[in-house]
Amino acid sequence: MRQAIVLELLLSMGSFLEFTNDGAEVVKFREFIPSILHVSRQCLASGDEDVAVIAFEIFDELIESPAPLLGESIKSIVQFALEVCSSQNLESNTRHQAIQIISWLAKYKSNSLKKHKLVIPILQVMCPLLAESTDGGEDDDLAPDRAAAEVIDTMALNLPKHVFAPVLEFASLSSQNANPKFREASVTALGVISEGCLELMKNKLEPVLHIVLGALRDPEQMVRGAASFALGQFAEHLQPEIVSHYESVLPCILNALEDASDEVKEKSYYALAAFCENMGEEILPFLDPLMGRLLAALQSSPRNLQETCMSAIGSVASASEQAFLPYAERVLELMKNFMVLTKDEDLCSRARATELVGIVAMSVGRMGMEPILPPFIEAAIAGFGLEYSELREYTHGFFSNIAEILADGFAQYLPHVVPLAFASCNLDDGSAVDIDESDDENINGFGGVSSDDEAHDEPRVRNISIRTGVLDEKAAATQALGLFAEHTKISYAPYLEESQKILVRHSGYFHEDVRLQAIIGLKHILTAAQAIYQSQHEGLAKTKEVLDTVMNIYIKTMTEDDDKEVVAQACMSIADIIKEYGYVAIEQYVPRLVDATLVLLREESCCQQEESDGDIDDDDTKHDEELMDAVSDLLPAFAKSMGSHFAPIFAKLFDPLMKFARASRPLQDRTMVVACLAEVAQDMGPPIAGYVDRVMPIVLKELASSEATNRRNAAFCVGELCKNGGESTLKYYGDILRGLFPLFGESEPDNAVRDNAAGAVARMIMVYPESIPLNQVLPVFLKALPLKEDHEESMAVYSCVSTLVLSSNPQILTLVPELVNLFAQVVVSPEETSEVKAQVGRAFSHLISLYGQQMQPLLSNLSPAHANALAAFAPRS
């Protein structure tokens, strides 16, 4: 009887919640929470678990309610939930409900968890739950280890700074545990947090990899399986830093490919595929053993392993480029067999094989592929008759790759493949939407914003899963249309109009993947239109019409699209159009473009709204780096096309831009601003003088940044400010030289930083040589030459040296041996342009004219190759 009353009371409270918004009611309701917890504990003690489940449903409603119903009671709710999920004697469903409450709090009330210092207590329970295995008969969805992994993942995404250290500590201790379940939990935990805590993990890769690579050699299969899973996650999320550890990681993956367990093998092939994706020539020493194992596995493994193998071969082919040629023929021959499979269960393998042929084709190139292509094209087209969306998706990607390598040679295939892409683009949208009310652990789109007030936590939203085959197929077909247009240009004329209509329609599609491809494709359509119409009567008007359509969509996208990647792509495409077509072509759009740029710099666009709700700590600002980099690229594009006429527009954009240079902003923000200012100064010229006093102190600080990219951009920026800023920069010369000096020393590890520092000094000397103590500066300057990495600085640096020599500057003429050695290295360098070499040659000729035979001992010290190259520039008698 008592249980029934309690149940009824709890249920009525649940329905009361639906109508609770009034402040007084909220406070009143909070008073019930201790009683609910007390009754629930009593019922659990007497075996009445149903009551606790209903209590959790009420807490679920509390989290979902728009009213701030939790308040201080969040602490006692979390404590109760942790007690329940730790109790192994309770029913799986009861424990799962408790973990679910923690999961919802992590997702939608993460700031409240931070405020009430609940992150560590939760992790102290969740991490050990990863070691709790379930018997085979239990529903996987209720398994505590899986649910705990979801909680940890969600917390890592929303509170990375608070999660990383405790999880690393748990992993370090558990990796030494005698119980293999804890060793498995150790590496699982690291794999799970790698996406959310990526920046922190990148800085601690040594200790993290020590744990995971050790686990990959564990005698227990379950531990090795978890380690290969973690390695796959690292390879996916910790790029590009993880690649620098290839010497320790790749041999371990190679060993794991030989594992007795198919599960470990499959995860290791996945890790290999993800790891190699960002590799370059460093893969070459491993190429032969890798391909030996992969080709063997491809012929003797079950289907699912073969598919993962194909992904890995694709990554290896992309990384090794021309070096892959010896393996290409064998791979292509094997793929022929996969590309004719027709059974339903084999179509996924056929799709992977089709994708792989496209990737291998990119390595082999046009000469090698064109003669052998027809059977592959035939098989790819035939695949469209098999009614399998994933196969169609991968086939569109295959055709895109072939179009890229054949260029105009792809025109012969257009009548066959363009209608297939049109058909995929025109598929019924309804089949691409799927409402999903489950809590899929891969859906992390609703992470909390960073404020300390519960009212600013995220509202709870039902998940909408729209990642289906049809959607991916549409995105791939949309991409294909753009690439066909870009690579075949004039031959694309019969399909241009219909393709443009589809891309315009898809630029407003409901899913961002399709919109992104449409935004990229529209730029290619414009490129093709220009090529097609340029020779036609009224061609200019037709091209203008296409430009108008494209620009209007891009400007609208900048402020109205809700996806940052799509907006970033629109900004990049606009910057490219401004550079390629010039100011006259885009003049009519400039006022709207400037307004849209302002909206983005003020972080007021549609895609930035989640970050401007509530009070956000500067420390936790999560603005999207890629988006703001793209926005900041618009300013130099304007400056390049407008020159000094950009000045009144820059005046409007300057203050919103400088907000990103505050000391409280992340390092990436500050260097973004400095790079932007450098490029604007370079192309806008003298008007930059009006900003020197506001900008120079920030740039000088950046010269001492802990990040090489920041130092490099700062060095470039001070040089451009001095070159274009006139006398307003003179008072800073002493500070600039003091700031640049360490960048020339042994303590500077980055060659590109040193090259840009040399470029800055060169520009300073060129504008105000009398303000530079050349006797002190030139020896240090010349010692840093020749340039090692950033050859965009060559013209500035070697023009400066040559000018000083040609003017017979007494300070530089004390350094003739260094100059001869430098000139010899410049003229033999394959990196330097003929223009730079000619300039250096003129300076060398001037030295010969000054010193004649005295130069002979210096020349005889050079290698024959260097001496001969220099002699070619000597004046002929």
Side-chain angles (χ1 to χ4, degrees):
M1 180 68 183
R2 174 173 167 268
Q3 183 187 353
I5 294 167
V6 170
L7 279 168
E8 203 169 315
L9 276 168
L10 287 175
L11 286 167
S12 62
M13 282 181 182
S15 45
F16 164 74
L17 281 173
E18 291 176 36
F19 307 103
T20 304
N21 282 299
D22 177 74
E25 287 177 351
V26 165
V27 174
K28 202 79 185 148
F29 187 84
R30 285 179 185 170
E31 293 170 9
F32 290 121
I33 291 174
S35 307
I36 296 171
L37 291 169
H38 178 67
V39 169
S40 299
R41 280 194 175 92
Q42 281 189 325
C43 291
L44 279 177
S46 61
D48 296 341
E49 292 188 27
D50 288 350
V51 172
V53 170
I54 292 170
F56 285 128
E57 284 172 10
I58 287 177
F59 299 147
D60 197 6
E61 295 290 341
L62 288 174
I63 297 165
E64 191 172 353
S65 170
L69 294 168
L70 290 173
E72 289 288 322
S73 62
I74 191 169
K75 286 191 283 191
S76 46
I77 291 171
V78 167
Q79 190 184 344
F80 175 59
L82 292 176
E83 286 168 21
V84 172
C85 59
S86 303
S87 303
Q88 294 191 25
N89 57 324
L90 296 175
E91 290 286 332
S92 301
N93 183 46
T94 310
R95 297 179 71 199
H96 184 75
Q97 292 284 347
I99 298 175
Q100 211 48 58
I101 287 300
I102 304 289
S103 183
W104 287 126
L105 287 168
K107 211 172 256 192
Y108 306 120
K109 304 288 180 188
S110 58
N111 296 299
S112 301
L113 296 181
K114 182 172 68 173
K115 178 184 175 183
H116 294 291
K117 296 185 170 50
L118 294 167
V119 175
I120 288 176
I122 290 171
L123 291 172
Q124 284 169 341
V125 172
M126 291 299 138
C127 288
L129 277 182
L130 295 173
E132 191 178 311
S133 57
T134 55
D135 58 44
E138 185 168 357
D139 182 351
D140 266 356
D141 288 339
L142 298 179
D145 54 342
R146 180 171 166 172
E150 185 185 341
V151 172
I152 296 166
D153 179 29
T154 307
M155 290 177 74
L157 286 161
N158 292 322
L159 300 164
K161 291 176 188 173
H162 302 268
V163 168
F164 179 66
V167 171
L168 180 58
E169 186 183 355
F170 166 80
S172 302
L173 293 170
S174 300
S175 66
Q176 306 300 316
N177 199 303
N179 184 341
K181 290 177 182 174
F182 272 89
R183 298 201 300 278
E184 178 190 25
S186 155
V187 280
T188 300
L190 291 173
V192 162
I193 66 165
S194 62
E195 182 181 5
C197 299
L198 77 167
E199 292 303 335
L200 296 149
M201 202 174 252
K202 283 175 180 180
N203 294 327
K204 292 278 188 183
L205 264 176
E206 290 279 356
V208 167
L209 281 173
H210 179 73
I211 295 168
V212 174
L213 297 180
L216 209 52
R217 297 186 292 270
D218 198 281
E220 294 290 339
Q221 178 197 316
M222 68 168 84
V223 182
R224 297 197 305 278
S228 51
F229 156 77
L231 214 45
Q233 293 296 296
F234 294 173
E236 192 173 334
H237 300 301
L238 306 182
Q239 296 282 8
E241 286 79 358
I242 184 87
V243 169
S244 63
H245 295 267
Y246 70 93
E247 286 175 325
S248 58
V249 174
L250 266 183
C252 289
I253 297 180
L254 274 166
N255 286 337
L257 297 180
E258 302 282 323
D259 202 277
S261 153
D262 275 354
E263 181 206 356
V264 175
K265 275 186 195 168
E266 186 175 2
K267 286 175 179 169
S268 299
Y269 282 120
Y270 165 73
L272 177 67
F275 190 81
C276 294
E277 217 162 83
N278 275 29
M279 286 186 79
E281 59 185 25
E282 59 268 33
I283 201 173
L284 300 184
F286 301 93
L287 194 52
D288 211 45
L290 271 175
M291 287 308 297
R293 282 175 176 77
L294 288 167
L295 287 168
L298 199 53
Q299 295 166 84
S300 60
S301 304
R303 279 281 186 255
N304 61 333
L305 210 51
Q306 286 177 324
E307 288 161 22
T308 317
C309 241
M310 289 183 219
S311 289
I313 292 172
S315 291
V316 171
S318 297
S320 53
E321 294 181 348
Q322 289 295 300
F324 190 77
L325 278 174
Y327 312 96
E329 190 180 343
R330 182 81 190 102
V331 171
L332 291 170
E333 206 53 47
L334 285 168
M335 290 308 102
K336 272 184 189 169
N337 303 326
F338 285 98
M339 283 182 72
V340 293
L341 299 173
T342 54
K343 288 183 182 170
D344 284 358
E345 62 269 27
D346 294 331
L347 293 183
C348 190
S349 297
R350 178 169 176 162
R352 289 276 172 205
T354 305
E355 176 191 42
L356 180 53
V357 172
I359 294 167
V360 171
M362 296 288 280
S363 291
V364 173
R366 181 171 183 171
M367 292 281 287
M369 280 305 292
E370 199 161 18
I372 61 169
L373 256 180
F376 293 106
I377 298 272
E378 209 174 292
I381 291 170
F384 277 83
L386 297 171
E387 289 304 312
Y388 186 62
S389 186
E390 190 177 356
L391 178 57
R392 294 195 298 268
E393 175 204 340
Y394 282 70
T395 305
H396 290 309
F398 163 74
F399 289 140
S400 297
N401 285 1
I402 300 303
E404 185 170 340
I405 62 162
L406 294 189
D408 56 343
F410 191 72
Q412 60 182 307
Y413 299 115
L414 289 175
H416 306 286
V417 302
V418 174
L420 298 174
F422 283 168
S424 292
C425 285
N426 293 326
L427 280 169
D428 176 26
D429 286 349
S431 54
V433 185
D434 171 37
I435 302 299
D436 175 18
E437 295 197 355
S438 71
D439 310 315
D440 190 313
E441 66 194 66
N442 294 317
I443 296 171
N444 297 309
F446 305 108
V449 290
S450 300
S451 95
D452 280 340
D453 186 344
E454 184 196 335
H456 294 310
D457 280 304
E458 286 282 303
R460 179 170 164 196
V461 192
R462 290 289 179 202
N463 296 330
I464 301 177
S465 171
I466 37 189
R467 298 287 308 162
T468 69
V470 171
L471 191 78
D472 293 338
E473 181 185 341
K474 277 198 171 199
T478 306
Q479 179 184 44
L481 291 179
L483 291 171
F484 296 162
E486 182 192 18
H487 296 299
T488 62
K489 295 187 176 68
I490 292 172
S491 304
Y492 202 69
Y495 315 101
L496 189 76
E497 197 177 325
E498 182 59 26
S499 298
Q500 184 181 325
K501 280 181 192 166
I502 288 171
L503 294 182
V504 167
R505 187 172 78 236
H506 280 183
S507 70
Y509 194 74
F510 74 91
H511 196 275
E512 63 275 9
D513 286 1
V514 176
R515 293 201 306 279
L516 178 65
Q517 295 307 332
I519 293 297
I520 295 169
L522 282 166
K523 169 68 173 60
H524 299 325
I525 290 288
L526 178 59
T527 303
Q530 192 185 26
I532 291 163
Y533 296 139
Q534 66 183 355
S535 58
Q536 294 182 12
H537 183 60
E538 297 182 3
L540 197 63
K542 286 182 177 176
T543 306
K544 177 77 183 67
E545 213 174 286
V546 178
L547 176 67
D548 199 48
T549 301
V550 171
M551 289 300 290
N552 285 330
I553 287 171
Y554 284 168
I555 294 167
K556 184 171 189 261
T557 298
M558 285 172 74
T559 55
E560 294 182 22
D561 198 291
D562 62 4
D563 184 79
K564 293 189 182 110
E565 197 179 347
V566 175
V567 175
Q569 186 57 57
C571 293
M572 288 188 275
S573 296
I574 290 168
D576 288 341
I577 289 169
I578 296 171
K579 288 173 199 163
E580 288 169 32
Y581 292 81
Y583 179 71
V584 174
I586 57 107
E587 186 175 8
Q588 72 179 87
Y589 310 105
V590 168
R592 286 162 59 214
L593 271 174
V594 171
D595 287 345
T597 306
L598 266 174
V599 169
L600 284 159
L601 286 174
R602 289 174 180 148
E603 298 184 281
E604 292 169 355
S605 78
C606 191
C607 73
Q608 296 163 309
Q609 285 317 290
E610 62 177 354
E611 283 152 0
S612 35
D613 289 342
D615 303 318
I616 302 173
D617 298 337
D618 261 339
D619 183 46
D620 278 333
T621 301
K622 292 187 203 169
H623 98 82
D624 192 284
E625 188 187 332
E626 185 190 345
L627 170 64
M628 294 319 297
D629 276 351
V631 174
S632 67
D633 282 347
L634 287 168
L635 280 70
F638 283 133
K640 199 168 186 63
S641 69
M642 299 174 73
S644 60
H645 299 293
F646 178 54
I649 292 174
F650 185 61
K652 286 187 194 175
L653 301 173
F654 180 75
D655 284 333
L657 175 71
M658 292 308 289
K659 178 184 72 176
F660 293 94
R662 290 177 191 157
S664 58
R665 302 295 293 212
L667 287 167
Q668 297 95 320
D669 284 16
R670 299 206 295 275
T671 201
M672 168 198 85
V673 172
V674 169
C676 176
L677 291 167
E679 291 183 57
V680 168
Q682 188 176 36
D683 290 309
M684 185 172 74
I688 201 69
Y691 301 91
V692 166
D693 288 338
R694 288 189 58 189
V695 166
M696 194 65 86
I698 293 163
V699 182
L700 288 171
K701 266 188 195 167
E702 286 291 285
L703 285 173
S705 171
S706 59
E707 282 293 317
T709 304
N710 293 53
R711 297 194 299 279
R712 178 182 183 173
N713 285 335
F716 176 47
C717 191
V718 289
E720 288 298 338
L721 289 173
C722 290
K723 179 184 170 186
N724 297 287
E727 292 183 1
S728 61
T729 61
L730 281 173
K731 63 184 170 195
Y732 296 105
Y733 264 43
D735 289 337
I736 293 170
L737 290 172
R738 278 187 288 278
L740 289 171
F741 181 69
L743 308 187
F744 287 93
E746 301 272 320
S747 60
E748 176 49 66
D750 193 285
N751 284 329
V753 172
R754 193 175 289 106
D755 290 350
N756 277 269
V761 169
R763 289 175 177 91
M764 293 168 76
I765 292 171
M766 291 296 275
V767 284
Y768 291 113
E770 68 284 356
S771 298
I772 301 277
L774 290 176
N775 60 328
Q776 295 171 47
V777 169
L778 285 176
V780 177
F781 175 60
L782 289 179
K783 192 180 174 188
L785 302 178
L787 298 174
K788 311 290 189 300
E789 193 170 316
D790 191 347
H791 295 279
E792 286 184 24
E793 294 297 295
S794 294
M795 191 48 77
V797 167
Y798 299 126
S799 291
C800 169
V801 175
S802 301
T803 302
L804 289 172
V805 171
L806 291 166
S807 64
S808 301
N809 182 285
Q811 300 295 343
I812 204 158
L813 294 181
T814 63
L815 300 161
V816 171
E818 287 89 342
L819 288 170
V820 170
N821 193 32
L822 170 63
F823 291 166
Q825 291 181 71
V826 172
V827 294
V828 299
S829 169
E831 305 291 338
E832 299 300 352
T833 64
S834 54
E835 193 183 353
V836 165
K837 291 178 183 181
Q839 198 164 42
V840 162
R842 284 193 293 276
F844 175 66
S845 297
H846 186 69
L847 289 178
I848 295 280
S849 71
L850 287 178
Y851 298 107
Q853 285 305 307
Q854 290 173 267
M855 297 282 285
Q856 202 51 50
L858 295 176
L859 295 173
S860 61
N861 286 335
L862 298 173
S863 72
H866 284 84
N868 290 338
L870 262 182
F873 289 96
R876 298 180 185 278
S877 55

